[in-house]
Amino acid sequence: MEICVHGLGYIGLATASLFVHNGHKVIGYDTDDRVRRRLERGEPEVTEEELETYVRDALDGELTISSHPEAADYQLICVPTPYDRDAGRADLQYVEAAARNVRPLLRADDVVVLESTVPPGTTATVLSPILAESGLEPGTDIGLGYVPETMLPGNAVTELQSNDRILGGIDADSTAAIEELYGTVPTGDLRVAPDATTAEFVKLVQNAFRDVNIAYANTLALTARDYGVDVREAIRLANNHPRVDILRPGPGVGGHCLPVDPLFFAERSDETQLVDAARRVNDRMPGYVADLVAEALGTLEDKTVAILGVAYKGNVDDTRNSPGLEIARILSDPETAELRVADGGMGATEIRLCDPHVTSPTLELESLADALDGADAAVLTSAHDEFADLDPRRVGSLLGERVMVDPLALMDADSWEQHGFELVGI
Ligand SMILES: NC(=O)C1=CN([C@@H]2O[C@H](COP(=O)(O)OP(=O)(O)OC[C@H]3O[C@@H](n4cnc5c(N)ncnc54)[C@H](O)[C@@H]3O)[C@@H](O)[C@H]2O)C=CC1
Ligand SMILES: CC(=O)N[C@@H]1[C@@H](OP(=O)(O)OP(=O)(O)OC[C@H]2O[C@@H](n3ccc(=O)[nH]c3=O)[C@H](O)[C@@H]2O)O[C@H](C(=O)O)[C@@H](O)[C@@H]1O
């Protein structure tokens, strides 16, 4: 079958490659010239090794990059859906633009599938009317539906090929046509939702569930501290119950999915109190970690703090909503730093950033040795493999004060304390 994929970012490129690897001819279109040029040269901007090989193989095969969208049996939309904080709603401009691009290409019986994460109702009430302006009615003349992507950054290819897929058409024929396409690629089970809106809702349910679960773990961490209880030991013991499965507390919830997608629920509902509270709990964690740094050092004035990890989680290079960067921002902000300085002085805190996975022209990133050299404290904010074997002897010889803040509990406390460290956890 011929497929045109709109948006060749993390999801679109992986999806286009999945279909090529399974015998389909795919035209890939992205509005960004730079993205298209790189792909035309066979140089995808992908940092997961397995995904990079997977995409390169597709580019060597039947994945064609085009400067304009083309007619195809299936039009797949994988464009960004950021949250507009000022407006308090999802910014659907990219979905709308993609729909307008698809509109003139449509032929009877073509099928349009949205994969981007969106507020429930988007396919039926935003996408459908734009496509209908073609003169072909979605649900009657053309197919239309929603198929969320659920692959986990860091384990993309495996999850792309093995996760269950949920799909929902705006009518039975659309659902059948979408099933026909996704049935040709390896996945877990295909799960048919009653309609597109339910499929959109389920995608948000999954990410909000994870966010709420992590917020519960973070709440437990703060509560356990008041009782002098080791939260990780408590969660480990609690999880032995056959029906309890609590996630891990940490320095905050980053990325562009968990901190954003739960907010989409509020678009047309006032009943989102629990989900909103979870967001607030998780958003508070970087400030809490900054407080721990200030507490351990007694003052932030003239102190130097090394932040080890600006990626939003371990072994990825994505810095969106990064807890490490938020902790850095809070510690270096004179206003908040002043509040956090135990002795009341102004906190001219120097921040050094280190991350072996991230390359960024806008961040001044240092090597591990340079970041630690003479610093007063280190904060371990991303669970990168490179940090797993940090040697307390080496770190101790570089740091000015032996203070290691470890909100992810990556280090062995006994071993670090034996080397004279104050290991601060949450
Ligand atoms: N990254 C992730 O882990 C996951 C993302 N999602 C969702 O998938 C969607 C896409 O996310 P990513 O691939 O991560 O975004 P991304 O930012 O990596 O890529 C999106 C691409 O779409 C292009 N684009 C924008 N408007 C376009 C248009 N009208 N036509 C063609 N191309 C256009 C952009 O230039 C960009 O290259 C979002 O809704 C996101 O929430 C869903 C599951 C996982
Ligand atoms: C339900 C679910 O597992 N959703 C996944 C999620 O990917 P993402 O990389 O954002 O999720 P993640 O690994 O939980 O990381 C998010 C953030 O949460 C933090 N985190 C994660 C687990 C945990 O126990 N404690 C914790 O604090 C991480 O450090 C990170 O800062 O969101 C993706 C998406 O929807 O874009 C989705 O495809 C993925 O399958």
Side-chain angles (χ1 to χ4, degrees):
M1 279 183 260
E2 271 205 342
I3 302 167
C4 179
V5 174
H6 300 248
L8 300 173
Y10 191 71
I11 293 299
L13 204 46
T15 302
S17 305
L18 174 73
F19 284 106
V20 166
H21 278 277
N22 290 282
H24 298 284
K25 201 166 168 320
V26 179
I27 300 139
Y29 169 68
D30 197 289
T31 42
D32 188 331
D33 297 349
R34 200 188 51 91
V35 169
R36 288 201 313 271
R37 274 201 301 273
R38 283 195 67 127
L39 292 172
E40 278 158 3
R41 289 199 304 270
E43 293 169 7
E45 211 163 13
V46 176
T47 49
E48 273 173 65
E49 220 172 283
E50 197 188 4
L51 181 58
E52 188 182 352
T53 308
Y54 194 69
V55 170
R56 279 181 190 272
D57 288 348
L59 287 166
D60 286 342
E62 290 292 322
L63 174 54
T64 312
I65 306 305
S66 174
S67 58
H68 51 274
E70 293 184 23
D73 304 319
Y74 289 85
Q75 300 280 346
L76 262 54
I77 301 178
C78 307
V79 299
T81 47
Y83 185 71
D84 181 339
R85 289 194 185 270
D86 294 334
R89 52 187 301 129
D91 176 357
L92 296 177
Q93 63 168 306
Y94 305 101
V95 172
E96 290 165 1
R100 285 194 295 273
N101 287 339
V102 166
R103 194 172 50 198
L105 306 171
L106 287 171
R107 308 159 307 187
D109 298 328
D110 284 350
V111 181
V112 181
V113 178
L114 180 62
E115 284 213 4
S116 304
T117 308
V118 289
T122 301
T123 302
T125 65
V126 177
L127 204 45
S128 182
I130 298 175
L131 299 176
E133 287 167 19
S134 65
L136 294 168
E137 192 58 41
T140 308
D141 306 314
I142 57 165
L144 174 62
Y146 183 72
V147 183
E149 180 50 68
T150 60
M151 70 191 205
L152 187 75
N155 194 27
V157 176
T158 304
E159 294 214 352
L160 182 73
Q161 294 180 330
S162 63
N163 285 359
D164 288 359
R165 296 302 294 256
I166 291 152
L167 57 95
I170 62 161
D171 71 314
D173 285 348
S174 297
T175 301
I178 294 169
E179 244 184 310
E180 202 181 323
L181 176 65
Y182 283 80
T184 63
V185 294
T187 59
D189 292 331
L190 288 183
R191 310 257 179 205
V192 177
D195 49 40
T197 303
T198 306
E200 292 163 336
F201 191 82
V202 171
K203 170 66 190 176
L204 302 186
V205 167
Q206 292 171 333
N207 278 356
F209 173 74
R210 194 161 171 81
D211 199 39
V212 169
N213 192 334
I214 299 168
Y216 184 53
N218 283 332
T219 297
L220 293 177
L222 306 192
T223 311
R225 197 171 191 235
D226 291 337
Y227 287 95
V229 163
D230 176 343
V231 70
R232 285 190 169 74
E233 186 58 13
I235 290 176
R236 195 183 64 75
L237 289 167
N239 280 349
N240 285 316
H241 188 286
R243 284 174 296 284
V244 174
D245 189 8
I246 305 164
L247 287 168
R248 298 171 304 280
V253 170
H256 72 299
C257 302
L258 265 52
V260 171
D261 300 352
L263 305 174
F264 290 0
F265 270 138
E267 202 113 307
R268 286 194 226 161
S269 173
D270 295 328
E271 303 297 341
T272 59
Q273 291 84 347
L274 177 65
V275 171
D276 299 342
R279 284 279 70 251
R280 285 196 296 278
V281 167
N282 290 335
D283 278 350
R284 185 184 155 207
M285 294 312 289
Y288 179 70
V289 173
D291 283 341
L292 294 178
V293 176
E295 211 173 279
L297 292 176
T299 176
L300 289 174
E301 194 175 7
D302 296 327
K303 297 290 185 186
T304 299
V305 179
I307 304 285
L308 308 185
V310 298
Y312 80 90
K313 68 173 186 178
N315 301 326
V316 301
D317 65 343
D318 190 337
T319 60
R320 285 176 285 185
N321 296 309
S322 145
L325 285 180
E326 181 60 7
I327 292 166
R329 189 194 66 74
I330 293 168
L331 287 173
S332 58
D333 176 346
E335 269 188 36
T336 51
E338 189 178 12
L339 297 175
R340 290 170 203 284
V341 172
D343 65 5
M346 274 296 286
T349 315
E350 183 191 332
I351 302 292
R352 297 189 194 147
L353 304 176
C354 161
D355 195 305
H357 285 257
V358 175
T359 45
S360 163
T362 54
L363 295 172
E364 276 180 42
L365 292 165
E366 306 193 30
S367 69
L368 182 65
D370 286 349
L372 292 175
D373 191 18
D376 299 290
V379 191
L380 208 35
T381 38
S382 311
H384 294 318
D385 288 347
E386 289 84 346
F387 295 149
D389 300 325
L390 278 180
D391 176 6
R393 256 177 304 245
R394 175 162 177 252
V395 176
S397 71
L398 289 165
L399 278 179
E401 290 184 47
R402 294 192 174 215
V403 176
M404 172 65 92
V405 181
D406 181 18
L408 292 159
L410 298 176
M411 300 294 110
D412 173 51
D414 289 344
S415 151
W416 283 70
E417 276 158 17
Q418 271 164 24
H419 286 88
F421 267 88
E422 185 185 350
L423 196 73
V424 183
I426 58 169

